[in-house]
Amino acid sequence: MQAASMVRMSQVHKRFGMREVLSDIDLSVQAGEVCCLVGPSGAGKSTLIRCINYLEKIDGGSIHVNGQLVGYKLHKGRLHELSEREAGRSRADTAMVFQHFNLFPHLSVMENIVEAPIHVRKESRAAAQAHARELLARVGLEDREKAYPRELSGGQKQRVAIARALAMRPKLLLFDEPTSALDPELVGEVLSVMRSLAQEGQTMIIVTHEIGFAREVADTLVFMDQGKIVERDTPARLIDRPQSARAQAFFNSILK
Ligand code: ADP
Ligand code: MG
């Protein structure tokens, strides 16, 4: 069982100044699992997935991704923080898709996608471009490789961002509210790409307010509030029969 854990967070604590924003987080996500993370604004959802990607350092506990300790190495029985370069390498199994796409505005779609494979993964330009074309076809944008981000709709930009994340061949894909910045009519095209990734067995942790999508796609649903994991269950059970008053209030407010 443990060998197949893609993510293992154990007693993770994170503070900003005096404020504890993650308390005692224990979370395991298996290879091939889709885990959706929901909860009110300020619950710590973004911070949690940023810690997994080592965009934030934790103050206690440990995080393993694909069996590797995130941000630290064990040397002669003691933990040492990784250098920036080592951290970059250890981040290679994970890719993240952000709410605001974070595409490079001065680079074309193709250049956005091949940047990291060429410079971080040291792929040849030809190989990176061939892979990028495959990925663009997968997200339904095969004819847009020469476009610039400003020429694309929000839904198209987010699909490019997903292709760019996949270009790193990540074992784990993290999404932070990938459809929250989109006009309602563009949400579906992004969710549909994510749904197909789920069907292909991509391990994903998705912070989302799209409860219908979470119900359909997630293997596990996690409800967070005030820096804690309050409940974790199958989406059907958690959405329909939340145990805690906090989860009940949350699902009532967003489902009405
Ligand atoms: P969520 O994504 O669930 O809305 P966040 O993880 O963004 O929550 O934030 C959790 C808490 O941590 C919030 O109170 C937020 O204000 C605080 N926080 C987030 N990032 C920082 C930061 N860089 N510095 C200080 N406080 C932060
Ligand atoms: Mg957030």
Side-chain angles (χ1 to χ4, degrees), residues 112-152:
N112 262 282
I113 298 173
V114 300
E115 225 282 328
I118 291 173
H119 293 103
V120 181
R121 281 180 60 90
K122 310 294 179 198
E123 290 182 19
S124 72
R125 179 163 292 272
Q129 286 182 337
H131 188 211
R133 290 194 178 104
E134 256 171 58
L135 294 170
L136 281 171
R138 220 158 125 191
V139 302
L141 291 171
E142 52 275 82
D143 51 349
R144 301 316 302 272
E145 67 172 73
K146 293 197 175 70
Y148 282 81
R150 64 174 176 275
E151 302 168 315
L152 302 175

Side-chain angles (χ1 to χ4, degrees), residues 41-42 44-47 99 176-177 207:
S41 175
K45 307 179 298 295
S46 295
T47 304
Q99 183 176 354
D176 194 359
E177 298 198 29
V207 176

Side-chain angles (χ1 to χ4, degrees), residues 180-255:
S180 295
L182 300 179
D183 292 333
E185 75 272 20
L186 303 178
V187 168
E189 65 194 57
V190 172
L191 293 183
S192 126
V193 167
M194 294 168 67
R195 193 176 288 120
S196 70
L197 293 175
Q199 279 158 3
E200 288 159 25
Q202 174 76 50
T203 313
M204 304 195 274
I205 303 179
I206 305 168
V207 176
T208 184
H209 295 295
E210 297 288 337
I211 295 298
F213 172 79
R215 183 196 284 274
E216 174 200 345
V217 169
D219 298 297
T220 21
L221 186 61
V222 171
F223 172 71
M224 282 185 77
D225 190 23
Q226 297 183 0
K228 293 196 170 69
I229 292 180
V230 180
E231 289 190 48
R232 181 207 156 121
D233 209 331
T234 61
R237 275 204 299 260
L238 184 43
I239 295 166
D240 296 335
R241 289 189 293 284
Q243 301 298 303
S244 62
R246 281 189 281 175
Q248 277 166 18
F250 175 78
F251 288 114
N252 276 337
S253 73
I254 59 170
L255 291 173

